[in-house]
Every structure is written in C-alpha cells, then in structure tokens.
Amino acid sequence: METRLYFLFGDILSNTLLGAIVGALAAFCFNDRWPMLAAMVVGMFASMLLSAIFGALLGILYGAFELMAPLMLTAMVAGMALPMSAAMEPLDPLQAAKIGAAIGLLVLAGTYILNAALRGKERQWTR
Amino acid sequence: MDALTSQKWDRAAGRYDLFSAGAEKRWAEAKQKFFAPMRGNVLFLAIGTGLDFQFFPPGQDIVALDISPEMIERARPRAAAYKGRIELRLLDVHELDAEEAFDQVFTACTFCSVPDPVNGLRRLHRALKPGGELRMFEHTGSRWFPFSMMLHLMTPISRLSGPELNRPTVANVAKAGFTVREVDNLYLDIVKTITAVK
C-alpha cells in the first residue's frame, strides 16, 4: 500500500473526485428515456475518456500510471452503474456524486489490495 | 532513422518534463535502487530529456541514445552536470550496429514506444558482451482483468502522443534471445523491473 502521505492523498483525491464527477454527470445526462444498456455503454466509454484526461492532468502531480489504473476502474464501474441507475429512475446529482465518490474509494482500496498481492518478484512471467 | 517516431518524440519533448514530474517523484527511490548496479561499459537507451541521469551512480562511463534530436538537446545540460561521462548519441535502436561492446544495457520506460520491440531487443542482445546484462524499468500490459482490458482499450489513444500500454515486454525479451533472470513488480504487474542476461 502507498504509505507516503502526498501520494496517498493524491490517490484518494483523484478517485473520489472522478467518481463524484461521473456520478453528478450521470444524474444530469441520463434519464428514463434512455435504454438501460445504451446508458451503461455510453456512460462507461465517456467516463473512461474522462479518466484518461484526469489521469494525464493529475499525473503531473502524482504519477500517471499509479493514478491511471484505479481511475480507469473507477470510471468503468461508476460509469456503468450510475447511468444505468439514472435510466431506471431520476437520480439526485448530489446523491449520485456521493455514490460515485464511494465507488472511487472502494476501487482504490481494491487496487491497493491487489497491488499488495502482485508486488514483488514474479515466479511466472508472461507479459 | 524512423522519421515518424523521431518527430513524435520531438513534439513531446517540450512537455515531457512536466508530464513526467509526478512519476519521477513517485519512483525516485525505486529508480535509485534500479540504477545502483551500473558497472563497466554501459549503454542507456532512450534518454528522453535526461531526467534519469540524477539517479545514476557517479563515476560511470555511459553511452546514451535517443531517437529525438529535441530530447537530446534538452538532455545536454543534465549530461554535463553528471559526475562521470555520458556520451549522447542520436540513434534509432533498430539501427544500432554495435557488437559485443557493452557490459550492461539499461532502459527506462523505453520499450513501450520502440516500434518493433523484438527487433530492437535483438539489437541490444547483439550489442552486449557474452554474459552481459539487460536491466529494464518498464511498464507493460497486465495479465489481470480488468486492467488487461483497460490497457488494451486505452492503447489506441495513448499511442497517438506517446507510449503503448499493453506491450508483453517480458515475453519480447525472451523472444529476442535473452534469458530472463528476474521480474520484480513495482506496481500491480504493470510497472516492473526486468533483469535478463545474454
């Protein structure tokens, strides 16, 4: 796990902020006139594009790769779940932003756990 | 010389330091450790603007290559400030014709961008003395879903201005004739150091 406060702060900030923005945008951009599947696919790709921009900009401060991996995952999960939910029933933007931020935190925690498992010397390498 | 690649990195040179600043900070300690075993005649491939020179142990004799004239110009003051000898050369790795000239080759975030990576690695293999070491600090594709899928999806975008994100660099090293000795994952299985021998 990242233990340096500067980078820990950057990881948390970027993931919660991206999740919140995706949540708020989902509440504004999608409604029950959208087919659920279309909302999910459009939401996911638009969010992933947003995560690339976010990663490139905040990467200047915190390092692009270590931001990009959890950010892409946050974008994918929040970008699918929240537009789908908005296509079922109207979402309150603030509530959606909070859910998005929570998704960002959960994804970051999951990435830290996976990183702890994968770090170090590999026994079998293919890539 | 691959003109397209050279021009791509010439265009990137102006913003290179800015966009690398976070990664340099994040990986400073790991890079110091990575470059610590430098010894003998060393070839360093793809110097960029010379940001990595600060991590080189002092007193080394290093030949440093890059494909971009603009990058080399920006690296010059950093090379001059190094307490040892760094000779900068403008060269495409695909055209490297040195034979058994170096004890070690170092690369740092290089083989995400070399257009024909296996051919480039074969050139490095030829340039090393028998028993010589290849040491790489690279980012690669991932074996793990969903990161593997995401890196594949992002590569067409990232390729336009810089690196590819889904390269199987460890497999490429083996394909080029090296014996892979060690792969050490630094971040997930994406950022890693690779040690291989001729």
Side-chain angles (χ1 to χ4, degrees):
Chain A
M1 183 183 150
E2 181 58 68
T3 51
R4 293 167 293 181
L5 274 183
Y6 174 81
F7 292 110
L8 186 62
F9 173 76
D11 290 350
I12 293 171
L13 172 78
S14 55
N15 278 278
T16 50
L17 195 59
L18 177 69
I21 291 172
V22 167
L25 283 176
F28 284 122
C29 299
F30 296 94
N31 52 44
D32 56 9
R33 279 171 294 177
W34 277 80
M36 252 173 46
L37 186 67
M40 188 184 85
V41 172
V42 171
M44 183 186 87
F45 279 104
S47 303
M48 286 186 72
L49 203 59
L50 187 65
S51 79
I53 298 165
F54 235 71
L57 293 177
L58 286 173
I60 293 169
L61 296 172
Y62 303 111
F65 258 96
E66 301 67 33
L67 286 195
M68 204 72 95
L71 279 178
M72 284 192 296
L73 195 50
T74 294
M76 197 172 85
V77 177
M80 285 196 296
L82 291 162
M84 235 167 60
S85 173
M88 285 189 284
E89 58 183 43
L91 278 181
D92 169 46
L94 186 64
Q95 187 64 18
K98 282 182 190 168
I99 296 170
I103 290 173
L105 270 184
L106 282 176
V107 164
L108 183 64
T111 311
Y112 276 177
I113 291 168
L114 185 61
N115 186 39
L118 293 180
R119 262 183 75 98
K121 306 225 182 329
E122 256 194 58
R123 286 192 184 163
Q124 283 187 313
W125 45 77
T126 53
R127 294 206 71 86
Chain B
M1 178 80 75
D2 176 351
L4 277 180
T5 306
S6 175
Q7 285 161 11
K8 178 167 91 172
W9 290 105
D10 274 351
R11 282 194 302 274
R15 55 181 189 274
Y16 189 84
D17 284 5
L18 177 69
F19 280 96
S20 304
E24 289 301 317
K25 245 185 277 175
R26 175 102 60 168
W27 292 117
E29 204 183 313
K31 282 203 169 171
Q32 202 110 40
K33 199 174 144 196
F34 169 71
F35 287 115
M38 262 190 185
R39 57 164 174 81
N41 292 331
V42 176
L43 175 68
F44 180 55
L45 184 63
I47 52 179
T49 57
L51 285 170
D52 285 331
F53 296 167
Q54 62 184 310
F55 305 120
F56 291 179
Q60 303 299 314
D61 189 3
I62 300 157
V63 174
L65 310 182
D66 206 279
I67 194 171
S68 154
E70 193 59 39
M71 289 285 191
I72 287 190
E73 278 316 303
R74 285 169 193 270
R76 258 183 226 294
R78 289 181 174 134
Y82 172 66
K83 290 182 173 60
R85 198 180 80 89
I86 298 178
E87 182 192 332
L88 303 177
R89 285 190 203 163
L90 178 67
L91 191 72
D92 182 344
V93 67
H94 302 106
E95 291 163 10
L96 177 69
D97 55 8
E99 226 169 301
E100 300 192 357
F102 297 99
D103 298 296
Q104 289 181 317
V105 176
F106 280 79
T107 73
C109 297
T110 303
F111 275 89
C112 51
S113 309
V114 171
D116 183 351
V118 176
N119 183 26
L121 284 160
R122 283 196 184 118
R123 296 282 179 156
L124 298 184
H125 188 270
R126 200 172 68 166
L128 275 169
K129 293 176 184 172
E133 264 186 336
L134 171 67
R135 287 177 171 263
M136 310 173 86
F137 189 110
E138 299 282 340
H139 62 83
T140 68
S142 173
R143 277 189 290 152
W144 294 86
F145 183 85
F147 298 110
S148 51
M149 181 196 71
M150 291 188 301
L151 292 170
H152 282 305
L153 283 175
M154 299 300 285
T155 292
I157 300 168
S158 68
R159 187 188 288 143
L160 297 175
S161 63
E164 298 196 1
L165 307 177
N166 58 355
R167 290 260 174 107
T169 300
V170 182
N172 288 343
V173 169
K175 263 190 215 165
F178 286 97
T179 303
V180 179
R181 280 276 161 85
E182 189 178 281
V183 176
D184 194 0
N185 289 327
L186 302 177
Y187 181 68
L188 299 170
D189 63 340
I190 298 174
V191 181
K192 62 186 61 160
T193 59
I194 303 161
T195 308
V197 291
K198 180 173 179 178

